[in-house]
Amino acid sequence: MAEPIALPMGVKVSTDIEFREGNPNPYRARVRWFDPVSNGRKSKSEMLPTFVSAEEWVKRVERLASRGVTPEIAESTLADYGESVMDLAMRGLEPKTLSPYMCGWRLRVVPALGHLKVASITNGIADRALNGWIADEVGKSTIKNTISPLVRIMEQAVRDGLIDVNPARLYGWQKLYKQAEDELDDPRSLALEDWDALEKLASALVARSHGNFQGWGDVVKFAACTAVRIGEVSGVRVSDINMDDWTWNLSRQTTPSPGGLADKGTKGKRRRTVPLIPEIRPLVKWRMERAKLTPDARLFTGPRGGRITTAVLRDATHWDEVVAALGYEHLRRHDLRHTGLTWMADAGVPLHVLKEIAGHGQLTTTQRYLHPSKRAVHMAGDALSAFLAAGRETPAPVPPTEPGTTRHLRSP
C-alpha cells in the first residue's frame, strides 16, 4: 500500500490559460505551485474545448488548493487517489475486515473505475459499475466488500473537498442482487430464440476476439446448451464428463476469491447431473481428446490456458459491443443459462427434472420458465379449433392475419 500523502494547507497556485490553434481542445489551462515539502516547482495542465471550461477548471483547482488539496491530488484518478489516502480512509478497521476490502478494491473497483478522475465519478457511473459486478455473478459478500472500500475512499474525497456528495452510497443494492439471484420474474424474455441465434452469437464473439479464439464460441454454446453459469463451465474437468451416456457430473465452479480465482462447490452446494445434447458432443469430444483425457485437465480455458470467468469472457470477446450489434443490447453472459432452461422447458422437460438440472433450491424459481410461449399458445388455439370443428358442418371463418409483435430477445 502506498504511503499516504501529507496535504499541505493553503497551497498557493499561479494560473494561466493559453490558446493553441489546431488542437481539438485548444485551450490549455495550467496551474503551477511550489511543493512545501520538496520546495520544488510543480505544474498541472489540462486541454479543454472552450475558454469558459478552462476558466472553470482553473477556479476549481484554486478553490481546492486553498483547502490544502494540491492540484496533483485534485486531478488524480480514483486508483491514484485511493492509494494515496488508503490508510486514512481505512483507519479503524480490523485486519479480518480490511483484507477482503482490499481484495474488492484491487480486483473490482480499480479495473472498473480506477482510470476515472475522482471528480468525474457520478451516481450513474457507480450504479453501472454495481450492475456489472452483479452480472459477473460474484457472491453477495463479495459485492459488499467491493462497495465498502469505494464508499470509504469517496467519503475521504468529500472530506478533502474534491467532491460535495459521495456517489458511491448505493442504497438498495441488496434488492438488485436478490433480483439477479432469483433470476428475474420473467427469465424467458432474456433467452435467445433458437440454435441459429446461438451460433450467430458464438461466431460473432469469436470474430471479435484476439486471434479469433474458437474457445470463446465453444464456451458460449456449451453454457447455453447445458443451462449453466460461466463459472461452472470454467470448473468442468475431463473426469466430470461421461461419454458413455453423455452426461456431465457438475460439482464445482470457478469464482473470484481473496487470493485470486478459486474452484469451489456449486451455488447452493448442489451436485447435479446435466445432459450433453448431440449438438455439443463433437466440441466436447474434441476438447476431451485435446486434453489427452487427463482426468484433472480443464475442458475449457482461455487462449493462454487460464481459467475463465464471466468478466474474462466479456472483455476478451468485446461482448457488449457484439451483442449490441446483433440487436441484443441487454444480453448478459448469465442469459445463456436462461436460454438453456427456456429451451428445455419448451421441449417439454418435466418440472421436477428441470429443477434438478438447473440446481434450483425452490420449485417456484423453475416454474418461471414454464410460461407458455407464443408458439405453444397458438398450438393450443389450433387444438381447440380442431376439436370444435369435429362436430361442425361449416368451417369456421378465418380472420385476417395481423403482423406479430416482437420483444427484445425472445417472442413471448
Side-chain angles (χ1 to χ4, degrees):
M1 186 182 301
E3 290 294 324
I5 295 177
L7 300 178
M9 297 303 295
V11 176
K12 292 182 179 181
V13 297
S14 60
T15 66
D16 65 84
I17 298 175
E18 179 184 354
F19 178 77
R20 295 190 171 183
E21 190 174 357
N23 194 304
N25 295 311
Y27 291 92
R28 188 201 67 177
R30 182 176 63 172
V31 294
R32 292 183 289 181
W33 73 101
F34 282 101
D35 188 326
V37 177
S38 64
N39 207 31
R41 190 169 179 80
K42 295 187 175 183
S43 67
K44 185 76 175 179
S45 63
E46 186 85 3
M47 300 301 296
L48 296 159
T50 66
F51 183 80
V52 173
S53 60
E55 276 191 321
E56 291 175 349
W57 184 86
V58 166
K59 290 178 181 178
R60 175 177 171 274
V61 174
E62 286 180 321
R63 182 176 67 255
L64 292 173
S66 68
R67 300 175 183 176
V69 182
T70 68
E72 284 180 326
I73 296 297
E75 293 299 299
S76 63
T77 63
L78 177 64
D80 291 339
Y81 177 75
E83 289 301 307
S84 70
V85 301
M86 189 65 70
D87 288 343
L88 190 61
M90 301 297 166
R91 63 186 182 276
L93 293 179
E94 295 290 333
K96 64 179 181 181
T97 303
L98 180 60
S99 179
Y101 278 18
M102 293 309 301
C103 287
W105 171 262
R106 185 178 69 256
L107 297 178
R108 278 165 289 278
V109 175
V110 172
L113 303 172
H115 62 289
L116 300 175
K117 292 183 179 180
V118 175
S120 70
I121 297 175
T122 62
N123 292 103
I125 290 175
D127 282 337
R128 284 190 286 275
L130 170 64
N131 287 329
W133 297 327
I134 292 176
D136 286 345
E137 303 171 38
V138 299
K140 189 174 182 179
S141 61
T142 300
I143 295 292
K144 175 184 176 296
N145 291 332
T146 300
I147 295 174
S148 295
L150 176 60
V151 169
R152 282 178 165 262
I153 293 296
M154 296 305 286
E155 196 61 40
Q156 185 61 43
V158 172
R159 288 193 289 269
D160 283 340
L162 271 69
I163 53 178
D164 296 323
V165 180
N166 187 341
R169 292 195 175 278
L170 303 171
Y171 300 104
W173 69 266
Q174 293 90 342
K175 184 178 180 180
L176 288 175
Y177 184 87
K178 187 177 188 305
Q179 186 181 38
E181 191 176 43
D182 290 344
E183 299 182 323
L184 307 177
D185 292 333
D186 185 15
R188 294 179 56 87
S189 66
L190 303 173
L192 292 169
E193 186 174 2
D194 52 30
W195 174 260
D196 289 341
L198 176 62
E199 280 204 315
K200 187 176 181 181
L201 171 64
S203 297
L205 293 170
V206 169
R208 283 290 278 118
S209 67
H210 178 70
N212 300 132
F213 181 57
Q214 183 58 43
W216 299 128
D218 291 349
V219 167
V220 168
K221 291 180 181 179
F222 187 84
C225 291
T226 54
V228 299
R229 304 170 180 88
I230 298 300
E232 292 170 334
V233 176
S234 181
V236 61
R237 308 287 179 88
V238 168
S239 59
D240 298 331
I241 303 297
N242 186 337
M243 289 197 295
D244 293 331
D245 61 3
W246 286 106
T247 56
W248 168 24
N249 179 26
L250 200 167
S251 59
R252 73 180 69 81
Q253 63 178 331
T254 301
T255 61
S257 67
L261 293 177
D263 290 338
K264 65 177 185 179
T266 60
K267 188 174 182 180
K269 310 300 181 184
R270 300 181 187 93
R271 181 186 294 266
R272 58 193 195 269
T273 301
V274 177
L276 301 175
I277 62 176
E279 284 78 1
I280 58 171
R281 289 175 188 173
L283 75 85
V284 171
K285 183 178 180 181
W286 180 82
R287 289 188 163 276
M288 295 275 283
E289 293 172 349
R290 183 170 175 266
K292 299 179 180 179
L293 301 180
T294 305
D296 290 336
R298 294 179 183 277
L299 204 62
F300 297 94
T301 61
R304 297 180 180 179
R307 284 177 282 190
I308 297 169
T309 66
T310 182
V312 168
L313 175 62
R314 176 195 64 210
D315 296 341
T317 62
H318 302 273
W319 177 282
D320 294 336
E321 298 173 21
V322 170
V323 297
L326 293 175
Y328 305 144
E329 290 87 351
H330 305 293
L331 185 72
R332 307 168 304 161
R333 278 75 59 203
H334 193 67
D335 295 333
L336 298 171
R337 172 169 164 82
H338 295 314
T339 293
L341 292 174
T342 298
W343 288 355
M344 290 182 191
D346 287 351
V349 175
L351 181 61
H352 68 283
V353 177
L354 189 61
K355 174 179 177 292
E356 293 303 314
I357 292 174
H360 289 151
Q362 301 293 328
L363 197 62
T364 54
T365 303
T366 313
Q367 286 174 328
R368 295 184 178 119
Y369 293 91
L370 300 184
H371 298 166
S373 64
K374 189 173 184 179
R375 179 184 175 190
V377 170
H378 282 305
M379 290 176 64
D382 292 342
L384 176 59
S385 181
F387 172 77
L388 295 175
R392 188 169 55 216
E393 295 182 359
T394 58
V398 179
T401 302
E402 296 182 359
T405 57
T406 58
R407 294 188 62 176
H408 170 59
L409 293 179
R410 184 179 176 85
S411 296

